Amino acid sequence: MAKKKQLQSGGTPATVALTAAGVTYTVHAYEHDPAHPSYGEEAAEAMGVSPERVFKTLVADVDGVLTVAVVPVAGQLDLKALATAVSGKRASMADPTLAERTTGYVRGGISPLGQRKKLRTVLDTSADTHTTICVSAGRRGLEIELSPKDLTTLTQALRAPIARA
């Protein structure tokens, strides 16, 4: 995997954070189609990568605390499992406007890295079955490929089985 220092436009907060941390990663860019029904599936198709290796970043509200869930595109977030993972009682999807304002990213481009306000993060344990995974680089049509270990370290993520098929 090649280490990319910056994108032509100066990078995103996610790529800047990776570069500052000295992490090896690869950036994958593709033409985003606004008509595509799923950001994550679009990314997997455009990159020719299995949906099990492409992870979506979702923002949930767990007992009043915004929490980031990183799960494979091939599955869905299990809100009950997410709440359990962070010792909470109840989880629901966060208001999209609040998620965008808090992370500094737009829906469909929310990255678990370089967020405006660092949120508690949970990475699904299925990431462990892959040498590298892809997550949003901070905008639609841009993905970062990196090791699950590096993602866990940089986000201080908890690891838990929070996805379901």
Side-chain angles (χ1 to χ4, degrees):
M1 230 179 338
K3 182 175 179 180
K4 305 272 184 162
K5 295 240 185 240
Q6 289 187 326
L7 300 173
Q8 291 176 343
S9 63
T12 65
T15 60
V16 169
L18 287 166
T19 300
V23 170
T24 299
Y25 65 96
T26 302
V27 174
H28 298 277
Y30 60 91
E31 190 66 36
H32 167 61
D33 176 5
H36 201 289
S38 167
Y39 298 116
E41 288 175 10
E42 176 190 24
E45 291 167 9
M47 295 185 304
V49 174
S50 164
E52 288 80 16
R53 276 192 52 228
V54 178
F55 283 63
K56 54 190 170 187
T57 306
L58 303 171
V59 181
D61 179 318
V62 181
D63 298 334
V65 177
L66 290 182
T67 303
V68 171
V70 185
V71 297
V73 166
Q76 292 182 330
L77 172 61
D78 182 334
L79 288 165
K80 187 171 220 148
L82 176 63
T84 300
V86 296
S87 302
K89 293 182 181 178
R90 187 168 182 272
S92 60
M93 294 307 298
D95 172 72
T97 302
L98 179 60
E100 289 179 342
R101 188 172 48 240
T102 304
T103 63
Y105 293 118
V106 297
R107 197 164 40 115
I110 294 177
S111 178
L113 298 156
Q115 296 175 355
R116 181 177 292 148
K117 179 182 178 190
K118 187 176 171 83
L119 299 176
R120 167 174 65 181
T121 302
V122 181
L123 175 61
D124 185 65
T125 52
S126 67
D128 295 334
T129 64
H130 307 288
T131 305
T132 61
I133 60 172
C134 298
V135 296
S136 176
R139 69 175 184 245
R140 297 172 188 151
L142 200 63
E143 294 281 313
I144 300 168
E145 183 177 353
L146 75 167
S147 77
K149 181 181 177 193
D150 285 338
L151 180 62
T152 298
T153 300
L154 291 173
T155 61
Q156 299 175 326
L158 296 170
R159 303 288 270 277
I162 59 169
R164 56 186 157 87

